[in-house]
Amino acid sequence: EPEVTQTPSHQVTQMGQEVILRCVPISNHLYFYWYRQILGQKVEFLVSFYNNEISEKSEIFDDQFSVERPDGSNFTLKIRSTKLEDSAMYFCASSDYRVLGNQPQHFGDGTRLSIL
Amino acid sequence: GENVEQHPSTLSVQEGDSAVIKCTYSDSASNYFPWYKQELGKRPQLIIDIRSNVGEKKDQRIAVTLNKTAKHFSLHITETQPEDSAVYFCAASRAGDDKIIFGKGTRLHILP
């Protein structure tokens, strides 16, 4: 069964540094998402991406965040100047083309981001 | 915006018994309700979903019910097994919206 893959599995970064999290969505999927999960809390939506542009973003996704699909397979999340509160598990997800109603979102294994 | 409440936060059941997790949502425009299972340190894994045009859906030992009028939906797991131990998240989404709004999760313990 095809899966969403994410790298690295764990990223440790000094506060103020830039970090890039990488994802390879399921190959025939068209919608891509980033979510985060602070330890012990619920999963929170950050941003969605379709047709090479952001289609929706949450209030968490401020100017420090950006997303990019640099080629036909990768989907990245960049945090420009990391803060301690950015420490969380970041999940990438993807879903198929929507005809009628939302399609299931399939999640990767996540990247645990630790800001020191 | 949408708010999803989930309870209980922790649930312990004897192996072989049934487990029920309940969720409510606030936005009457929500029409897609997935359930995810997350084992420790792993990805949220979609286990079942239901759309608002259906009242109940079943997949082997797992079933989900939806009451649109009351805006609540439930996950039922029958004949629980040790491998059912995990955190379960309910979620809701509106048609055309990209985001899924998650509940806070239920930690399910299956006791031997």
Side-chain angles (χ1 to χ4, degrees):
Chain A
E1 186 177 333
E3 290 185 342
V4 175
T5 57
Q6 290 185 243
T7 54
S9 57
H10 191 190
Q11 175 78 45
V12 181
T13 301
Q14 290 287 331
M15 186 172 61
Q17 295 296 304
E18 175 183 287
V19 65
I20 297 175
L21 310 182
R22 292 183 166 80
C23 168
V24 179
I26 294 173
S27 63
N28 61 336
H29 283 185
L30 299 175
Y31 293 83
F32 315 119
Y33 314 86
W34 283 101
Y35 290 81
R36 79 171 185 191
Q37 185 179 32
I38 295 171
L39 188 63
Q41 299 187 23
K42 66 179 176 180
V43 179
E44 300 174 289
F45 171 79
L46 292 179
V47 66
S48 59
F49 193 85
Y50 170 70
N51 200 26
N52 282 320
E53 60 183 20
I54 290 173
S55 53
E56 189 173 353
K57 61 182 180 179
S58 73
E59 59 273 12
I60 301 170
F61 193 89
D62 61 21
D63 292 345
Q64 293 301 309
F65 291 87
S66 62
V67 289
E68 191 179 29
R69 188 155 164 83
D71 53 42
S73 59
N74 290 284
F75 179 52
T76 62
L77 174 70
K78 182 194 289 186
I79 309 175
R80 261 178 274 280
S81 178
T82 50
K83 303 187 282 284
L84 293 176
E85 53 265 39
D86 294 327
S87 294
M89 181 73 92
Y90 287 80
F91 290 104
C92 175
S94 68
S95 65
D96 205 345
Y97 179 70
R98 287 179 229 154
V99 177
L100 292 173
N102 293 348
Q103 294 301 311
Q105 295 185 18
H106 299 272
F107 284 70
D109 279 334
T111 293
R112 180 166 298 285
L113 178 62
S114 300
I115 307 300
L116 305 178
Chain B
E2 175 64 280
N3 183 46
V4 177
E5 298 288 340
Q6 181 172 353
H7 58 95
S9 56
T10 306
L11 177 62
S12 297
V13 301
Q14 290 293 137
E15 182 178 348
D17 288 351
S18 295
V20 180
I21 301 170
K22 298 183 179 182
C23 291
T24 60
Y25 60 99
S26 60
D27 189 346
S28 55
S30 289
N31 66 347
Y32 175 66
F33 306 93
W35 285 87
Y36 287 85
K37 174 184 180 182
Q38 187 178 32
E39 297 176 35
L40 190 62
K42 298 284 187 68
R43 70 181 73 191
Q45 182 183 8
L46 179 71
I47 55 171
I48 196 167
D49 56 12
I50 190 168
R51 298 181 191 277
S52 58
N53 58 345
V54 174
E56 185 174 356
K57 184 176 177 181
K58 191 173 181 180
D59 182 4
Q60 299 182 342
R61 296 187 297 108
I62 293 172
V64 57
T65 58
L66 171 65
N67 183 327
K68 283 192 297 181
T69 304
K71 295 207 280 288
H72 65 70
F73 55 116
S74 300
L75 178 73
H76 304 252
I77 306 173
T78 58
E79 300 171 20
T80 52
Q81 300 169 3
E83 54 264 37
D84 295 330
S85 292
V87 178
Y88 291 79
F89 291 95
C90 64
S93 181
R94 292 165 50 140
D97 265 10
D98 294 345
K99 62 181 177 290
I100 291 176
I101 305 300
F102 285 80
K104 290 187 176 179
T106 295
R107 184 170 298 279
L108 176 63
H109 299 278
I110 306 302
L111 305 173

